[in-house]
Amino acid sequence: MEKKPYEFEFERIKALIKERGARRVGLQLPEGLRTVATDIAAEISKETGVEVILSGNSCYGACDVDEKLERIVDLLFHFGHTDTFSFRERKPLKVVFIELRSTVDIKPVVEKAVAELKGDCVGLVATVQHVHALNDAKVVLTQSGKKVVIGKSDNVKYDGQVLGCDFSSAIVPCDEILFIGSGSFHPAGLALYTGKRVIAADPFTMQISIFEPEDLRKKRYSMIARALDAKSFGIIIGMKSGQFNLSKALALKRKAAAKGLDAHLIAMEEVTEASLLGFKVDAFVNTACPRLPEDFAHFNKPVLSINEFEVVLGERSWEGVWQ
Ligand code: SF4
């Protein structure tokens, strides 16, 4: 049998289905794993006899549980994320998080990344898929003469783990950051928020990419500068339960009004350019998933984060926008 790149924890899934007496289960997988979704559904159904319903909605984070599907199943298996969310108010009893640990050896890509490291001290971070292998990476780096720091944070479940909206475990004394994982979402955010050079090493593709904070920050500064001329703002409220921040949105609206700005609250599930089109405001403020602000760089109107909007309101310094 072909070795899977992730640990799908089939034995745990089967045991939970039996233990809870589930008859119908839901599966929610990240978009990149849609191609294997039907195989996983078939395997679970064949082995346990349950009816399986696949979620066709987004699955960007643990903030993004398919709650409508959760209502009609006995158990919902949400793949690819951890359940550690300080901002999550409701602990879903029916949702089981399957972290999808990678089965790929990370040492070869770390050995390749060493050539790109300039400093003596490296902050080491990873997405949950690789976090269990950070000590292997540490061994490689130490043997190459580097000092390694793996940060801890109360906001995440594992040491060195980063989320797209939480880089607190990367706030460590170091010269640069080595990120183990895929895509640009996390490393670009890391560079933006820590102000440090980030070397991203993807164990699946063996690709090494470099993210320079100055380039990314310049783009955000120009977005804030554009919003300084705005007279009206749409304040976006994310309707996914893990992203819902009504009190913050209301507070921002009040502050905007106090500064003589026209502000409107807009609730939505997904923040896309299409969903913002047509609203007669000059700029938007996003209180939902912070996403990679790079995503918003291509939107027609400025879309600011909460901190960036506070700069526009004169409540935060330009230098303090990433704190
Ligand atoms: S970055 Fe966005 S999608 Fe990812 S966990 Fe945070 S709020 Fe959710």
Side-chain angles (χ1 to χ4, degrees):
M1 196 183 175
E2 196 193 333
K3 192 181 178 205
K4 292 193 168 65
Y6 296 108
E7 185 49 71
F8 283 93
E9 299 188 49
F10 285 121
E11 292 313 313
R12 182 174 159 228
I13 291 172
K14 284 188 260 170
L16 276 166
I17 288 171
K18 201 169 161 205
E19 185 188 309
R20 306 257 186 111
R23 298 165 67 106
R24 183 187 299 147
V25 304
L27 304 184
Q28 195 184 7
L29 289 130
E31 227 161 86
L33 289 174
R34 291 262 163 99
T35 51
V36 296
T38 52
D39 297 340
I40 295 168
E43 182 161 346
I44 293 171
S45 180
K46 187 170 148 228
E47 302 258 338
T48 62
V50 289
E51 184 172 40
V52 179
I53 303 178
L54 292 165
S55 169
N57 292 323
S58 65
C59 181
Y60 298 134
C63 59
D64 203 7
V65 167
D66 190 334
E67 292 172 336
K68 289 185 181 134
L69 178 56
E70 185 193 349
R71 275 184 227 144
I72 60 163
V73 293
D74 302 316
L75 273 175
L76 173 63
F77 294 98
H78 177 107
F79 290 80
H81 307 111
T82 46
D83 60 350
T84 45
F85 273 84
S86 49
F87 57 81
R88 196 175 178 86
E89 286 168 10
R90 185 180 69 97
K91 184 88 182 153
L93 295 175
K94 279 203 267 177
V95 181
V96 178
F97 291 87
I98 305 291
E99 293 175 350
L100 286 182
R101 297 299 179 93
S102 160
T103 56
V104 172
D105 183 7
I106 70 168
K107 291 195 282 305
V109 81
V110 175
E111 280 159 10
K112 193 175 171 193
V114 169
E116 299 295 340
L117 297 171
K118 291 181 178 169
D120 296 328
C121 182
V122 184
L124 192 52
V125 295
T127 54
V128 69
Q129 278 69 49
H130 304 285
V131 83
H132 60 289
L134 280 183
N135 277 328
D136 293 345
K138 186 175 178 178
V139 169
V140 173
L141 294 168
T142 309
Q143 283 169 350
S144 308
K146 303 288 180 189
K147 184 168 177 264
V148 179
V149 191
I150 300 176
K152 289 178 192 294
S153 167
D154 289 342
N155 297 345
V156 288
K157 193 166 176 184
Y158 303 105
D159 292 352
Q161 182 190 359
V162 287
L163 309 173
C165 53
D166 198 305
F167 302 111
S168 46
S169 68
I171 306 299
V172 291
C174 64
D175 301 316
E176 57 204 332
I177 292 169
L178 177 60
F179 164 80
I180 315 289
S182 303
S184 60
F185 184 91
H186 297 89
L190 273 164
L192 199 55
Y193 287 96
T194 63
K196 293 196 169 140
R197 182 172 175 265
V198 175
I199 297 88
D202 185 337
F204 295 119
T205 62
M206 285 295 287
Q207 196 179 333
I208 307 290
S209 316
I210 313 290
F211 294 79
E212 299 287 354
E214 291 76 21
D215 302 347
L216 295 158
R217 286 184 170 188
K218 258 187 231 155
K219 285 188 193 159
R220 292 314 301 167
Y221 285 144
S222 76
M223 188 68 77
I224 300 170
R226 277 176 62 202
L228 283 172
D229 294 329
K231 299 279 176 283
S232 56
F233 286 86
I235 299 175
I236 300 165
I237 304 165
M239 294 308 286
K240 292 177 180 175
S241 70
Q243 300 180 11
F244 186 66
N245 199 348
L246 180 61
S247 54
K248 190 74 199 178
L250 290 170
L252 290 176
K253 183 172 185 270
R254 274 196 299 274
K255 286 178 185 175
K259 297 276 176 191
L261 296 167
D262 189 21
H264 302 271
L265 298 169
I266 305 173
M268 59 179 68
E269 297 234 339
E270 299 271 337
V271 184
T272 62
E273 170 122 64
S275 57
L276 301 185
L277 274 180
F279 285 113
K280 226 168 59 181
V281 293
D282 301 324
F284 295 91
V285 184
N286 175 33
T287 67
C289 162
R291 293 171 50 172
L292 176 61
E294 276 276 280
D295 285 0
F296 300 130
H298 309 293
F299 284 24
N300 195 23
K301 292 179 183 173
V303 183
L304 303 184
S305 68
I306 294 170
N307 282 10
E308 289 168 345
F309 187 49
E310 285 173 354
V311 174
V312 171
L313 294 175
E315 295 196 340
R316 186 183 283 272
S317 71
W318 287 75
E319 300 73 39
V321 71
W322 309 115
Q323 284 153 17

